[in-house]
Amino acid sequence: MNITNFLGKNGLRRTAGTSNLPSPFWEYVFQVLSREDVPYFTRIRGVDFCKYLTGPEKSQFFEQIFPLSAQYFAVFRRDGIFSELLPEFDLCYYVPQDKNVSKNVFDHTVSVINNTMKLQQNDQTLYWSALFHDLGKLYSYQKYNNFIGHEHESTKIASYYSDKFNLKHKTDIVTTVQYHMKPLQYQRIPDWSDRTIKAFVDSVGGISNAAYCIELAKADKKAEHPNNDFSANLDELMTKVICLKS
């Protein structure tokens, strides 16, 4: 059962077709998204039934909330949904995000997801990559009190949950997370030779994944500096990547 059918294309609605899903959870989601005042018992039951969701049902939930504003992510975190479905994401709320308008890595991640929605409509590979890309900061911060090398931990997390949630395009998601810092090197110092650009494209498995990495880098920088435009150098890199085909 596709959650879109449950929520409705032109507004939220209940349907009889949800009988094959743990209804207390979806009833809770329905009430949150319809901005109802969710009763305490409904919230508790909703969180409790998270544990009965299958991997594909968990992925359906995330894919429905990707387009939502930060306030909904805050509600689901407050109520304990993320602590059940993706605990690393929940715990990132307690990891401070430096040099950033976001107070913590959780808020930063939500901003990046929102920015990817503006860059690419209906591209789940990019949205999942945005969700996973900085979750490794939880572990690098615990170990070293900084974020150096966080992409390696994020890659492990992305690989684990891609399997657990039975995500399509796992390889593309994991690769994008693994190399999401690479385009930011060009953004800071745009002096890559054609050979270096080709090496980057080859390392990520082709032009398509290189484009994902560049788009994620744009969303990442926009989340850090919403009032500045850092896209020029990254657009230039994308142009050079595309020119490799010719």
Side-chain angles (χ1 to χ4, degrees), residues 1-58:
M1 151 81 192
N2 189 310
I3 302 177
T4 303
N5 296 332
F6 172 63
L7 298 179
K9 295 180 180 179
N10 299 313
L12 301 171
R13 58 183 172 81
R14 295 172 175 83
T15 71
T18 60
S19 58
N20 61 323
L21 297 177
S23 57
F25 175 73
W26 300 116
E27 176 65 22
Y28 157 79
V29 172
F30 180 93
Q31 292 190 26
V32 170
L33 298 188
S34 58
R35 301 186 179 183
E36 297 178 12
D37 185 12
V38 183
Y40 175 78
F41 182 72
T42 301
R43 289 197 330 228
I44 295 300
R45 290 261 293 166
V47 174
D48 186 56
F49 269 75
C50 279
K51 63 189 70 171
Y52 301 115
L53 296 175
T54 66
E57 288 166 352
K58 292 175 182 178

Side-chain angles (χ1 to χ4, degrees), residues 9-245:
K9 295 180 180 179
N10 299 313
L12 301 171
R13 58 183 172 81
R14 295 172 175 83
T15 71
T18 60
S19 58
N20 61 323
L21 297 177
S23 57
F25 175 73
W26 300 116
E27 176 65 22
Y28 157 79
V29 172
F30 180 93
Q31 292 190 26
V32 170
L33 298 188
S34 58
R35 301 186 179 183
E36 297 178 12
D37 185 12
V38 183
Y40 175 78
F41 182 72
T42 301
R43 289 197 330 228
I44 295 300
R45 290 261 293 166
V47 174
D48 186 56
F49 269 75
C50 279
K51 63 189 70 171
Y52 301 115
L53 296 175
T54 66
E57 288 166 352
K58 292 175 182 178
S59 69
Q60 284 182 325
F61 167 72
F62 278 102
E63 288 173 4
Q64 281 296 313
I65 70 170
F66 282 150
L68 301 180
S69 62
Q71 70 185 61
Y72 291 103
F73 282 86
V75 169
F76 289 127
R77 193 206 67 80
R78 178 203 67 193
D79 291 348
I81 298 300
F82 294 135
S83 67
E84 289 288 341
L85 300 185
L86 187 56
E88 290 86 350
F89 184 38
D90 177 73
L91 289 172
C92 278
Y93 182 82
Y94 303 101
V95 180
Q97 176 76 18
D98 57 358
K99 66 174 183 180
N100 197 293
V101 296
S102 301
K103 294 181 180 180
N104 53 67
V105 175
F106 178 92
D107 290 346
H108 170 71
T109 300
V110 174
S111 294
V112 175
I113 293 170
N114 290 162
N115 289 339
T116 60
M117 296 295 303
K118 299 172 185 176
L119 292 170
Q120 295 288 343
Q121 294 295 318
N122 197 30
D123 195 324
Q124 297 297 337
T125 298
L126 185 57
Y127 307 155
W128 281 106
S129 299
L131 174 62
F132 293 138
H133 84 287
D134 271 355
L135 299 190
K137 287 181 176 179
L138 172 66
Y139 298 109
S140 63
Y141 186 78
Q142 288 176 338
K143 291 179 182 178
Y144 311 114
N145 202 34
N146 61 50
F147 297 149
I148 296 174
H150 73 275
E151 62 271 24
H152 304 301
E153 297 294 339
S154 296
T155 300
K156 297 175 185 177
I157 294 169
S159 179
Y160 174 77
Y161 283 104
S162 291
D163 285 336
K164 190 172 183 179
F165 294 166
N166 195 27
L167 298 183
K168 298 178 181 178
H169 311 298
K170 172 192 171 180
T171 300
D172 296 338
I173 294 169
V174 173
T175 299
T176 301
V177 172
Q178 181 179 0
Y179 291 98
H180 77 271
M181 296 293 291
K182 282 290 186 181
L184 296 177
Q185 296 175 9
Y186 185 91
Q187 185 271 323
R188 289 189 290 269
I189 307 176
D191 62 352
W192 288 7
S193 65
D194 289 346
R195 182 176 181 180
T196 302
I197 294 173
K198 186 178 186 305
F200 163 61
V201 173
D202 290 343
S203 68
V204 299
I207 291 176
S208 177
N209 283 346
Y212 280 131
C213 292
I214 294 170
E215 292 296 279
L216 182 54
K218 287 183 187 178
D220 203 357
K221 292 302 291 184
K222 192 67 175 176
E224 289 182 358
H225 305 280
N227 297 322
N228 297 324
D229 185 4
F230 292 93
S231 62
N233 287 350
L234 294 172
D235 287 338
E236 178 183 86
L237 177 59
M238 189 68 249
T239 299
K240 292 182 177 180
V241 165
I242 293 173
C243 286
L244 289 177
K245 295 196 318 185

